Amino acid sequence: MPRDAVPQPVRLSDYRPPDWLVDTVHLDVRLHPTATRILARLALRPNPEGREGSPIVLDGDELSLKSIALDGTPLAGSAYVTTAGTLTVLAPPQRALTLEIETVVDPSANTKLMGLYRSSGAYCTQCEAEGFRRITYFPDRPDVLAVYTTRIEAEREEAPVLLANGNPVESGAVEGTSRHYAIWHDPWPKPSYLFALVGGRLDRITDHFVTATGKKVELGIYVEPGKTERAGYAMDALKRSMRWDEEVFGCEYDLDVFNIVAVADFNMGAMENKGLNIFNDKYVLASPETATDADYANIEGIIAHEYFHNWTGNRITCRDWFQLCLKEGLTVFRDQEFSSDQRSRPVKRISDVRLLKGHQFPEDAGPLAHPVRPSTYREINNFYTATVYEKGAEVVRMLKTLLGEEGFRAGMDLYFDRHDGDAATVEDFLACFADANGIDLTQFALWYAQSGTPHLAVSGHWDAQARTYRLDVVQTLPPTPGQPEKQPMVIPLALGLVGPDGNDLPMRLDDGTNAERGVLLVTRPRQSFVFRDVAERPVASLNRGFSAPVKLTSDLTTQDLVFLARHDADPFNRFDAAQTIALAHLVEATAARRTGRDLPSPAALVEALGATLSDATLDPAFIAQALSVPSESDVAREIADDVDPDAIHDARQALRRALSAALRPALEGAYDRHAPTGAYAPDAASAGRRALRNACLDLLAAGGTAPGLARALAHFRDADNMTDRFLALSVLAHNAPDAREEALAAFYERFRDDPLVVDKWLALQAQIAEPGTLERVRGLTGHPAFSWGNPNRVRSLVGSFAGANQTQFNRADGAGHDFVADAVLELDGRNPQVAARLLAAFKSWRSLEPGRRASAERALRRVAAKPGLSPDVGDIVSRSLE
Ligand code: ARG
Ligand code: ZN
């Protein structure tokens, strides 16, 4: 197959069980920088559920095959064939047999960072989704589960630490050599994507955890030499995760050891390999001087996420990659719940919904839209998306909303019970909730199959005479790629009817039932709900807690929204009411900008935010969220077509200046009241105070007023932690062109030896909304701190430019689009996964105004025309242009 042939799509409907099963895998890995030798001994047997008489077809990718033997006898050249992607043993005896396969790989040349590669000299692996085939020939699919024993051998000098999945069995010197070895055994059958090994010169911190049934687990976190002091928070988060999963889901850990390794070169966030999680070091390492509060929160969430996979992903895995959301959506839901319990639940919900709307909604509205469970893919790595992860988590959350706390837990218990050890499907998962609760989830299952964000239009009608309140709900689902027609979904709509005194009115439906737990079930295209005994005109607080991932429009007036922003008992909707006012204002102001009309008045928003700022009962972290107005891409999404990013940017800046002026005394007061009281601590309460103080500073300095900038300079100078220092630096970089360079230079000098901090410095510069930014970013690609080989550097600089700088990426002259297209092509030969992810920044290109749309299309076509594209980039570009 030529490298640029876009592979044939894989279809869910074509699923067949494997013809051969693997019971055990013995690996003997002799680490060497450029020629690592892997001896694999596989115990295979025909699958009674497979096709009888089948050959043994193994996957392989960029392997050099040295030898192959069946039951101890070398195979004749005529007994097997290899292609670029497979090794097939022809006409094997149809019984249990052993294959011994010897392959050699070059970890130093592995720039794709899939399979066995090197990061800062250490050896590590990434096998999900299809990386194990880059280590040895294997049926590399998640429904083949085997017990692995791994022997690793290396130069003791080069790799004193040798780790693999499972429990340590033995280790020692290789007699008469400078080499040593370690043997690991993982008793839990697992698919190949969960395999991992690590070898290197690493420091570690250790701790232990005693499980609910009293078993002691040794915990280790391995980091680059000299960085152990930065691993403490991750260890703390790990222990809290282990306890939480026992308490909330009854999930206990199941090995004697649990190890985490942090590496500097990693395609994604982290990986849940059984007993040996491997992390992008940015999600492990933290110190007050180098990490922000947001970094701490991310570390806590991702440590939990990977740990929680031990049950949702590892003990119960996926039958095939179409079921990816089975483990990812569920595990994101679980990590969100964990963080909610550790921190503030409302604030966590607000930030999760911001993330969903900021990343998943645009995906669902563009050419890359796909269902939570796709039915076809050409490159599975392109489906580790916001839709599978974040919308997947929302679907699980809706199940919980529908079933209630106990019904949900009953379904989860049944799932763990019934499917432990299985490679399961979404149907298996849903059947557990249906069976445990005696309900039918057929219509609900559409959430997994239909892509696109449903739209709910809601209007309310109060009848003073009849004392009734009627809600009319219209559900529509837009067409998406491959899905022109849609069926109505089950939408759990949590709501409250807020009375004039700000308290919730009792909700009794006209059929006599109470809206159970405050949730209406919307199941049809049009539906009306009538509440009785409603003596006063209520204000409907709709989709409380963002109970369903929908776009909701209503007939609430601006005054109603101001009222909700002050009084809603649901904190999420209190936040959302003000955001809705701001968004409507920004859409109108953007249109005014483009047509030269006067800008609308922000009075309603000023009123709402003024009330929020002065409400002493509110959590500072909540107020901080409220103060941050919708992003440029939020506004672009709301406008939906003929988008002019410059007009949006101007409108947003003008609004921020207006808020700054109108709220100055309150902002200054809150800033002063939340001055630090002691040394930095990363806990949620302290972080919330910093968040509020920094949100105030950010608004005060909007537009570059002298007192605001003076405050920012002092904040920068006095900062004793990265949260404050970096916030002040961003404020200066965005608002103070005169102070910017000096501040950036000082920051770089201080942190130049700290790549994770340099990433922040790169990302910030890439986000400046000025015409000079493209040249700056281009220049930074030649900076000694930058490297195309490190995904974190690329994402910080080029990814931030493409994903978080709407005006400059979408420059009217097309230079931003061209630059990113060039970067994608530059990267594709080296690391297709990172290149494809970068290219996905074009996902909203069709919604741009005609000039920018044309330049985006030209850039995409230029990428598409390049010979030799990877399947990863080839897939994204072709779907983007479809
Ligand atoms: N399973 C990992 C997680 O916890 C993601 C790994 C994805 N890696 C990849 N190369 N696609 O989210
Ligand atoms: Zn995951």
Side-chain angles (χ1 to χ4, degrees):
M1 181 179 83
R3 223 172 71 81
D4 59 333
V6 176
Q8 283 307 299
V10 183
R11 289 178 211 288
L12 172 55
S13 55
D14 289 345
Y15 174 83
R16 275 193 295 105
D19 295 322
W20 287 81
L21 299 175
V22 183
D23 290 323
T24 60
V25 179
H26 284 83
L27 293 172
D28 185 353
V29 181
R30 316 260 162 105
L31 292 174
H32 181 279
T34 57
T36 291
R37 205 177 64 111
I38 300 104
L39 255 166
R41 192 167 84 240
L42 317 179
L44 293 133
R45 66 186 156 88
N47 183 3
E49 268 138 55
R51 289 169 307 177
E52 238 185 276
S54 303
I56 302 172
V57 184
L58 306 176
D59 302 296
D61 182 30
E62 298 187 329
L63 295 173
S64 153
L65 177 65
K66 294 298 166 192
S67 68
I68 176 165
L70 198 159
D71 288 339
T73 309
L75 273 185
S78 58
Y80 68 96
V81 288
T82 59
T83 68
T86 57
L87 183 159
T88 303
V89 178
L90 307 161
Q94 298 292 313
R95 54 164 170 80
L97 54 82
T98 302
L99 274 185
E100 278 160 297
I101 300 172
E102 189 184 351
T103 51
V104 170
V105 302
D106 179 352
S108 300
N110 185 352
T111 59
K112 293 181 179 170
L113 312 186
M114 286 296 282
L116 176 67
Y117 66 94
R118 298 183 81 203
S119 176
S120 309
Y123 298 86
C124 65
T125 56
Q126 169 60 33
C127 291
E128 186 177 2
E130 298 176 335
F132 192 68
R133 64 185 65 184
R134 294 169 58 77
I135 296 172
T136 187
Y137 285 101
F138 198 79
D140 194 11
R141 45 187 285 170
D143 56 355
V144 173
L145 280 66
V147 170
Y148 286 66
T149 307
T150 307
R151 178 183 182 278
I152 319 167
E153 187 190 301
E155 289 295 326
R156 193 188 286 278
E157 188 59 27
E158 185 185 40
V161 172
L162 298 174
L163 306 170
N165 311 98
N167 296 318
V169 176
E170 69 171 80
S171 60
V174 178
E175 287 299 320
T177 72
S178 52
R179 295 175 75 78
H180 74 144
Y181 73 93
I183 298 175
W184 293 77
H185 176 75
D186 179 4
W188 299 102
K190 66 169 173 289
S192 49
Y193 81 86
L194 289 173
F195 172 80
L197 70 77
V198 168
R201 194 162 271 292
L202 300 163
D203 283 356
R204 70 161 181 184
I205 63 169
T206 58
D207 206 326
H208 69 270
F209 178 83
V210 180
T211 71
T213 61
K215 281 180 295 186
K216 187 171 172 190
V217 182
E218 301 294 338
L219 310 176
I221 299 185
Y222 291 79
V223 297
E224 246 172 58
K227 301 218 165 137
T228 48
E229 335 77 73
R230 295 194 194 175
Y233 186 75
M235 182 63 90
D236 177 57
L238 173 61
K239 288 188 291 178
R240 286 184 283 123
S241 305
M242 296 177 86
R243 187 62 72 213
W244 185 91
D245 213 12
E246 292 180 341
E247 287 171 0
V248 177
F249 282 98
C251 293
E252 190 176 345
Y253 189 61
D254 54 7
L255 289 167
D256 304 338
V257 301
F258 185 78
N259 286 318
I260 291 175
V261 180
V263 300
D265 303 85
F266 203 74
N267 281 346
M268 311 281 283
M271 180 63 212
E272 69 265 23
N273 319 297
K274 184 80 188 192
L276 178 57
N277 288 185
I278 298 182
F279 270 63
N280 186 324
D281 61 0
K282 119 187 209 145
Y283 296 121
V284 171
L285 302 175
S287 70
E289 294 72 36
T290 58
T292 62
D293 290 327
D295 293 326
Y296 277 96
N298 278 331
I299 289 170
E300 178 177 86
I302 296 176
I303 291 275
H305 178 96
E306 306 310 331
Y307 174 72
F308 296 159
H309 269 315
N310 190 56
W311 275 92
T312 51
N314 301 5
R315 289 287 288 258
I316 306 179
T317 193
C318 302
R319 187 192 72 173
D320 53 69
W321 290 120
F322 296 101
Q323 321 295 330
L324 184 57
C325 65
L326 178 70
K327 72 179 178 81
E328 295 303 347
L330 176 56
T331 305
V332 170
F333 169 77
R334 277 152 49 68
D335 84 56
Q336 290 175 345
E337 286 298 292
F338 168 74
S339 294
S340 298
D341 285 347
Q342 304 288 309
R343 295 167 176 254
S344 149
R345 181 164 284 270
V347 172
K348 174 65 176 157
R349 186 64 185 142
I350 289 169
S351 61
D352 288 341
V353 173
R354 283 198 125 140
L355 187 82
L356 181 82
K357 290 188 177 177
H359 294 274
Q360 199 279 325
F361 277 26
E363 188 167 273
D364 238 353
L368 300 180
H370 54 275
V372 170
R373 182 176 65 182
S375 56
T376 170
Y377 62 77
R378 277 173 292 192
E379 172 52 62
I380 188 56
N381 285 319
N382 289 338
F383 285 83
Y384 287 74
T385 59
T387 296
V388 169
Y389 278 66
E390 267 70 41
K391 189 176 179 180
E394 293 300 320
V395 176
V396 176
R397 185 172 299 281
M398 283 190 287
L399 260 184
K400 182 170 179 188
T401 302
L402 288 171
L403 303 175
E405 189 93 42
E406 281 170 28
F408 180 74
R409 177 67 199 261
M412 286 300 298
D413 287 347
L414 182 56
Y415 179 61
F416 289 130
D417 222 53
R418 194 184 268 178
H419 292 291
D420 186 12
D422 288 353
T425 63
V426 165
E427 283 75 11
D428 293 333
F429 178 68
L430 287 179
C432 293
F433 293 88
D435 294 353
N437 291 273
I439 54 158
D440 179 1
L441 290 170
T442 314
Q443 189 186 1
F444 183 81
L446 288 170
W447 278 105
Y448 288 97
Q450 296 194 137
S451 55
T453 304
H455 179 206
L456 280 192
V458 183
S459 55
H461 312 273
W462 180 58
D463 184 333
Q465 223 112 72
R467 294 164 49 105
T468 58
Y469 183 74
R470 192 183 82 237
L471 269 186
D472 295 332
V473 183
V474 178
Q475 171 186 170
T476 48
L477 195 49
T480 46
Q483 299 189 338
E485 309 288 344
K486 297 282 181 23
Q487 290 168 257
M489 305 266 242
V490 181
I491 296 173
L493 186 67
L495 85 167
L497 300 181
V498 187
D501 63 356
N503 291 322
D504 279 8
L505 303 171
M507 290 194 292
R508 218 160 307 126
L509 288 165
D510 63 350
D511 60 5
T513 62
N514 297 319
E516 223 181 315
R517 294 186 302 271
V519 181
L520 297 178
L521 267 196
V522 178
T523 57
R524 300 196 297 270
R526 308 178 149 269
Q527 225 164 326
S528 293
F529 301 89
V530 180
F531 298 91
R532 66 180 195 202
D533 306 324
V534 185
E536 298 155 301
R537 177 188 179 270
V539 177
S541 167
L542 301 162
N543 207 21
R544 278 188 162 171
F546 208 67
S547 59
V550 299
K551 176 174 163 51
L552 186 141
T553 53
S554 78
D555 60 352
L556 293 182
T557 65
T558 305
Q559 273 327 298
D560 289 336
L561 292 168
V562 171
F563 176 79
L564 290 177
R566 301 184 80 130
H567 299 296
D568 201 319
D570 179 64
F572 179 84
N573 270 13
R574 211 164 153 173
F575 158 83
D576 198 55
Q579 293 287 309
T580 303
I581 299 170
L583 198 54
H585 170 95
L586 288 167
V587 170
E588 206 185 321
T590 302
R593 278 253 150 214
R594 292 185 75 185
T595 53
R597 276 182 284 127
D598 287 347
L599 292 184
S601 154
L605 187 61
V606 168
E607 188 189 344
L609 294 186
T612 303
L613 256 173
S614 62
D615 187 338
T617 66
L618 291 173
D619 178 357
F622 174 89
I623 305 177
Q625 286 283 0
L627 289 178
S628 124
V629 300
S631 68
E632 291 173 18
S633 56
D634 290 335
V635 182
R637 192 176 63 251
E638 188 69 16
I639 294 174
D641 60 24
D642 193 25
V643 167
D644 174 353
D646 289 330
I648 292 174
H649 176 77
D650 292 347
R652 189 171 180 276
Q653 288 304 100
L655 174 62
R656 280 168 43 81
R657 275 197 303 275
L659 292 175
S660 177
L663 298 170
R664 169 146 302 128
L667 292 168
E668 288 175 346
Y671 181 91
D672 293 335
R673 276 199 309 284
H674 293 86
T677 50
Y680 177 93
D683 64 277
S686 319
R689 293 172 58 86
R690 277 186 295 273
L692 175 52
R693 191 159 183 263
N694 286 337
C696 290
L697 178 64
D698 184 47
L699 264 188
L700 283 167
T705 60
L709 293 184
R711 225 175 247 269
L713 271 171
H715 197 95
F716 186 59
R717 202 187 45 229
D718 299 342
D720 70 347
N721 63 79
M722 181 54 75
T723 305
D724 288 335
R725 192 187 305 278
F726 188 67
L727 183 281
L729 180 67
S730 334
V731 167
L732 293 171
H734 288 301
N735 302 289
D738 298 339
R740 174 193 294 155
E741 300 313 321
E742 202 185 313
L744 284 168
F747 187 88
Y748 180 72
E749 271 320 303
R750 188 178 186 120
F751 296 107
R752 54 185 299 159
D753 297 325
D754 220 309
L756 295 176
V757 183
V758 171
D759 282 344
K760 299 181 194 300
W761 180 80
L762 293 170
L764 173 57
Q765 295 178 78
Q767 290 174 57
I768 299 172
E770 287 174 14
T773 294
L774 177 57
E775 268 328 295
R776 183 191 287 270
V777 170
R778 231 192 265 286
L780 284 168
T781 61
H783 192 282
F786 182 81
S787 153
W788 289 104
N790 179 284
N792 287 355
R793 297 306 92 74
V794 173
R795 280 189 287 256
S796 295
L797 185 64
V798 193
S800 299
F801 178 78
N805 194 338
Q806 295 294 308
T807 60
Q808 303 315 301
F809 170 52
N810 297 302
R811 278 164 62 126
D813 66 2
H817 294 149
D818 281 341
F819 169 73
V820 174
D822 288 339
V824 168
L825 293 173
E826 156 85 29
L827 266 172
D828 195 32
R830 183 194 291 267
N831 189 329
Q833 261 184 52
V834 174
R837 204 152 270 259
L838 187 58
L839 186 62
F842 282 93
K843 64 180 169 292
S844 301
W845 72 274
R846 282 187 204 278
S847 64
L848 293 166
E849 55 80 22
R852 289 174 171 87
R853 190 163 67 219
S855 94
E857 182 167 2
R858 270 197 308 276
L860 285 168
R861 295 214 179 277
R862 190 159 60 79
V863 171
K866 175 90 184 280
L869 286 182
S870 67
D872 309 61
V873 167
D875 169 49
I876 296 285
V877 78
S878 66
R879 280 192 285 142
S880 298
L881 286 166
E882 251 159 38

